[in-house]
Amino acid sequence: MSSITRAVAYLVDLPVEAERNDAVQSFLKQETIFVEISTADGAAGTGYSYTIGTGGTAVLALLRDYLLPRLHGQDARRIDAIWQDLFAATRATAVGAITSLALAAVDTALWDLRGRQTGLPLWIMAGGARDRVPLYDTEVGWLHLTTEELVAGARKAVAQGRRGIKVKIGKPSAVEDAERLTAVRSAVGPDLDLMVDANQSMTAAEAVRRAALLTPVNLLWLEEPLPADDLDGHAHLARSTTIPVAVGESLYSIGQFAQYLRRGAAGVVQADVARIGGITPWLKVAHLAEAHNVAICPHFLMELHVSLAAAVPNGHYLEYIPQLTAITSSPLAVEDGAALVPRTPGLGIDWDRDAIDALRKA
Ligand code: MG
C-alpha cells in the first residue's frame, strides 16, 4: 500500500556560502524547509523548499498546521491529485509565496519517494531529454563586487570552463553598470555568454534606456528588469530592446507564466521549483514554454534543477550558486562546462543527516 502514514516538516538554517547582494536585497541565509514522507509499504522521500532569509517559519507553520495533516491516508503515487487537494485547501492564501513554498516541500518529497520506490532518477522520471546542462556562473557577478573583482571572477569562470556568467546591475549610475559590463566583456572575449540581472529594480522607461546602453555588450538576457507584476511594462520592454527579457523567479503560479508567454513578455523563463510549488507545476511551466518556443533556465537550486533542466527539451542553462555543501555529500558533477545529472533514484541529493540535525532550527 502506498498510503501515506507519516509526514513531518522541519527547518534548517544554512549560512550563505558567499556574500551575495543585488540591486534590492541581500541573501541573508538559506532557510531550508524539509518535508519527509513515508508510506505503509515502507517507501520514503525527502523534499525541500527555501527562502533567502525571511518567512521560513511561516512556511513551516503552514505545513505543520494545515497541509501535512491532510496527507495521511492519501495515495503517495497520485502526486497531482495531492497537489490539487493541498492547493484547494489553501485557496485563501494562494497564489502566494508562502503557500507555493510549502506545496513545493511536499511535492518534491513525493517525487523523491516515487523515484526511490521505482529506482528511477528524477531526470528520467521527468522526461529524460538529455543528461547534462550547460552551467553559467552567478557567484562571480554580485553587485557589491568591484569592477576589478568582477573581471577577476569572470576570468576564473572562463578558466573553469563555464559557458556563461551573470552580472548584477542596478547601480545608481547606468553608465557605471555599462562600464562594469564592458570591462567584463573585454576580459572574457566575444564568445562567453553574458547575462545581467536587475532584480526588479527599474521602471519600464528606465529599463528601456538602460537596455540600449548595454546592448553593445551583447547580452544573452536581461533578467527581472521590472517588478514581476508589471506585465505591461515587460511586454513594452520586450518590444523595445533586442536583448531577451528573462523572468520567472518571482512568479508563483503557472497562470502567471501563461500570461507572460501569451504577451511575448518573456524571452526566457526561469521558473524556480520551490517558488512555483514543486516539480509538478515546474514541469507544466517548462512544457508551456516549450509550446511557445521559449527556453527555460531555472532560478537557483542547482542541485535539484539540474535534473529538471535536463529532463525537458527546452532546458537551456543551469545557474551555478552552490548552497547545500554543508548538508550534502553529492556535489554537482561538472564536465566540460556542463552539469551532469545525478543518476541515483529520486531527487539525486545525498543528504548528510547529521549535518542537517546539527543545523536544525525548528
Ligand atoms: Mg535573478
Side-chain angles (χ1 to χ4, degrees):
M1 281 292 292
S2 289
S3 61
I4 295 172
T5 52
R6 175 178 174 269
V8 296
Y10 49 91
L11 176 64
V12 168
D13 273 358
L14 296 176
V16 290
E17 294 190 21
E19 184 183 356
R20 301 174 182 136
N21 301 293
D22 61 42
V24 299
Q25 68 204 337
S26 298
F27 193 146
L28 303 171
K29 60 184 174 181
Q30 181 173 305
E31 295 180 307
T32 314
I33 304 99
F34 283 95
V35 163
E36 293 178 12
I37 294 174
S38 40
T39 60
D41 54 6
T46 299
Y48 70 107
S49 191
Y50 78 99
T51 82
I52 64 166
T54 50
T57 50
V59 178
L60 187 65
L62 184 61
L63 284 163
R64 285 178 174 170
D65 296 345
Y66 299 96
L67 300 186
L68 298 189
R70 299 184 69 86
L71 293 178
H72 290 275
Q74 295 214 46
D75 184 342
R77 300 169 302 179
R78 297 186 59 196
I79 296 179
D80 213 323
I82 291 174
W83 198 97
Q84 299 299 335
D85 176 71
L86 297 184
F87 184 75
T90 58
R91 285 226 176 256
T93 57
V95 168
I98 300 298
T99 299
S100 288
L101 294 168
L103 290 169
V106 173
D107 185 80
T108 52
L110 291 171
W111 278 86
D112 189 48
L113 187 150
R114 174 186 280 178
R116 290 172 187 273
Q117 195 162 38
T118 58
L120 295 174
L122 176 58
W123 73 283
I124 290 288
M125 285 193 285
R130 63 177 69 81
D131 66 0
R132 62 196 60 209
V133 188
L135 270 179
Y136 76 90
D137 201 320
T138 296
E139 288 289 67
V140 298
W142 299 103
L143 196 62
H144 65 273
L145 299 173
T146 65
T147 302
E148 293 69 30
E149 288 168 332
L150 274 185
V151 166
R155 288 203 167 109
K156 185 171 151 227
V158 171
Q160 289 173 320
R162 303 277 189 260
R163 312 276 182 89
I165 60 173
K166 188 161 80 189
V167 176
K168 297 289 181 176
I169 60 170
K171 290 284 189 187
S173 159
V175 171
E176 184 179 357
D177 277 338
E179 287 173 350
R180 286 159 62 84
L181 265 299
T182 302
V184 171
R185 175 55 83 196
S186 308
V188 300
D191 291 333
L192 192 82
D193 285 333
L194 279 184
M195 304 80 150
V196 294
D197 186 358
N199 291 93
Q200 308 185 68
S201 61
M202 297 174 190
T203 64
E206 178 68 2
V208 170
R209 184 179 83 87
R210 292 198 178 211
L213 263 178
L214 293 173
T215 298
V217 180
N218 184 19
L219 297 172
L220 195 73
W221 72 60
L222 166 56
E223 177 173 329
E224 287 205 305
L226 320 177
D229 57 6
D230 185 2
L231 179 57
D232 286 339
H234 282 89
H236 170 63
L237 174 63
R239 286 192 301 270
S240 309
T241 177
T242 56
I243 307 172
V245 174
V247 295
E249 69 176 83
S250 304
L251 301 181
Y252 295 93
S253 75
I254 56 176
Q256 291 170 345
F257 280 94
Q259 291 180 41
Y260 267 90
L261 290 164
R262 271 201 301 269
R263 294 283 301 277
V268 175
V269 295
Q270 301 178 295
D272 176 317
V273 67
R275 293 178 177 180
I276 192 65
I279 292 164
T280 302
W282 190 97
L283 289 171
K284 294 175 184 179
V285 171
H287 299 325
L288 185 68
E290 182 193 359
H292 285 81
N293 194 25
V294 168
I296 187 162
C297 302
H299 166 252
F300 189 44
L301 291 188
M302 63 179 195
E303 300 85 354
L304 181 48
H305 280 138
V306 59
S307 297
L308 294 176
V312 298
N314 53 330
H316 178 202
Y317 251 128
L318 185 69
E319 181 171 29
Y320 183 81
I321 306 181
Q323 184 51 44
L324 291 182
T325 309
I327 56 169
T328 56
S329 49
S330 49
L332 190 73
V334 179
E335 191 179 287
D336 191 26
L340 309 183
V341 292
R343 292 176 183 273
T344 49
L347 303 186
I349 300 173
D350 192 6
W351 301 107
D352 181 337
R353 301 285 171 179
D354 292 337
I356 287 175
D357 286 346
L359 290 164
R360 189 162 157 167
K361 186 188 170 195

